[in-house]
Amino acid sequence: MNADFSSLYNHHEREVFGAVMDASKDFPDIAASNDLLCDVCCVALNRLPPRYIRHEVDFSFYLTEHERLEIDNAINEAVTYAFNFVQARTALRARK
């Protein structure tokens, strides 16, 4: 038996990718580098608990408004932290 798990994904991935693109305008040096943007996404995603789902509608249906707000705030905080972290690391590397 071959199982197909291709419909499973971490809900936070899409949300973090969008938040990173939105915030990237405030970090033009990072936004100019696809590698750094990917680093920001990795740092942000690693700060969030994974939420694997199959269908977005299922995830949204079972959340209360309060839970949605908490997740949105956690994503925004993780993305802000990630941009600052990557920016600081990039500056450190440039000094060496």
Side-chain angles (χ1 to χ4, degrees), residues 28-90:
D29 292 339
I30 294 173
S33 168
N34 187 64
D35 286 340
L36 291 178
L37 284 175
C38 287
D39 288 347
V40 170
C41 288
C42 287
V43 171
L45 285 166
N46 283 327
R47 294 185 61 80
L48 297 166
R51 298 293 296 254
Y52 285 95
I53 61 173
R54 289 186 63 202
H55 305 287
E56 186 69 34
V57 68
D58 293 341
F59 183 73
S60 297
F61 180 76
Y62 291 106
L63 291 178
T64 65
E65 185 63 29
H66 178 73
E67 289 171 319
R68 274 190 209 95
L69 288 173
E70 282 183 336
I71 289 170
D72 288 345
N73 288 336
I75 289 171
N76 288 332
E77 287 175 17
V79 167
T80 299
Y81 173 89
F83 268 105
N84 290 322
F85 180 85
V86 169
Q87 187 174 46
R89 292 290 181 174
T90 303

Side-chain angles (χ1 to χ4, degrees), residues 13-27:
E13 288 175 359
R14 293 179 186 176
E15 299 295 321
V16 165
F17 298 160
V20 165
M21 293 311 298
D22 289 345
S24 67
K25 67 184 177 309
D26 298 327
F27 298 88

